[in-house]
Amino acid sequence: MAEQKLKLKGCEIVFANMEEKDGFKRSLTIKVDAEKEKAITEFWKANKIGKQNPGVPSFKEYEGTKQMNLSFNDNTKFAYLNGTSEQSLGWGAKIDLVVNAFTYNNKFTGGKDKVGASLSAVLVTAGRVTGADADLADLLSGYEMAESNNDEAEVEDKAAVDDLPF
């Protein structure tokens, strides 16, 4: 019997669609390297996941980066580490995830069993990357240099504290 779960660690998010709108389901799109491609391909094949082409994952390529869109639902559990939150999900966020294979049969399958895949658990280990992150890093690096490379400033600051009237 095929494995019903696929665990992937160290995934990088390309896009996070956290709300269902305009006919698009909630999903996370991840970058797919060779190792992840092999694991996903084997999992899809073993479980015969998919409607049109069972057993073949639908990777997309954009600007030289292979990607895969993984849907989630109300039962998907999210956990957030290192001060992350739902707002941390977006381009560059790092996650570990578990995909479950499941069988379904509804009016759209013509009475035939089909196998789908959905995220069951997502662990967010690092938040999305924005231009603001680079700007903050720039500010912090400048502050650290001023703190550590200016002994005279420390002496002046101590004198200023001694001069306070309280």
Side-chain angles (χ1 to χ4, degrees):
M1 183 174 168
E3 283 290 319
Q4 298 291 299
K5 296 176 189 282
L6 170 66
K7 185 190 309 184
L8 297 175
K9 291 188 167 221
C11 298
E12 184 174 338
I13 291 185
V14 175
F15 183 75
N17 187 19
M18 302 305 290
E19 295 179 18
E20 197 166 320
K21 58 184 169 189
D22 301 329
F24 292 100
K25 293 182 178 182
R26 297 177 293 171
S27 63
L28 299 176
T29 303
I30 62 168
K31 284 185 180 180
V32 178
D33 60 18
E35 181 182 322
K36 288 176 183 56
E37 180 178 5
K38 182 176 187 272
I40 292 167
T41 300
E42 288 173 1
F43 183 72
W44 251 245
K45 184 177 180 181
N47 288 286
K48 298 176 181 69
I49 296 169
K51 286 184 250 179
Q52 278 78 27
N53 204 356
V56 180
S58 59
F59 297 112
K60 293 182 174 58
E61 194 159 323
Y62 182 73
E63 295 183 353
T65 301
K66 192 168 277 194
Q67 305 173 2
M68 180 152 200
N69 190 32
L70 299 166
S71 63
F72 65 91
N73 58 44
D74 290 340
N75 296 319
T76 304
K77 298 294 183 190
F78 286 83
Y80 303 93
L81 298 179
N82 306 320
T84 59
S85 68
E86 184 176 324
Q87 286 70 38
S88 302
L89 287 165
W91 186 82
K94 301 282 195 253
I95 61 171
D96 296 343
L97 59 86
V98 175
V99 178
N100 274 335
F102 62 93
T103 302
Y104 64 98
N105 184 330
N106 60 30
K107 65 182 181 181
F108 301 110
T109 65
K112 296 180 182 174
D113 285 349
K114 297 287 182 177
V115 180
S118 182
L119 291 168
S120 62
V122 177
L123 177 63
V124 182
T125 58
R128 64 186 173 159
V129 179
T130 67
D133 296 315
D135 292 343
L136 183 58
D138 181 42
L139 288 173
L140 289 172
S141 68
Y143 178 75
E144 291 168 0
M145 285 178 55
E147 279 288 315
S148 62
N149 293 336
N150 195 344
D151 293 334
E152 289 178 24
E154 285 184 62
V155 172
E156 289 173 18
D157 287 346
K158 183 176 180 347
V161 169
D162 291 342
D163 291 340
L164 291 174
F166 49 87

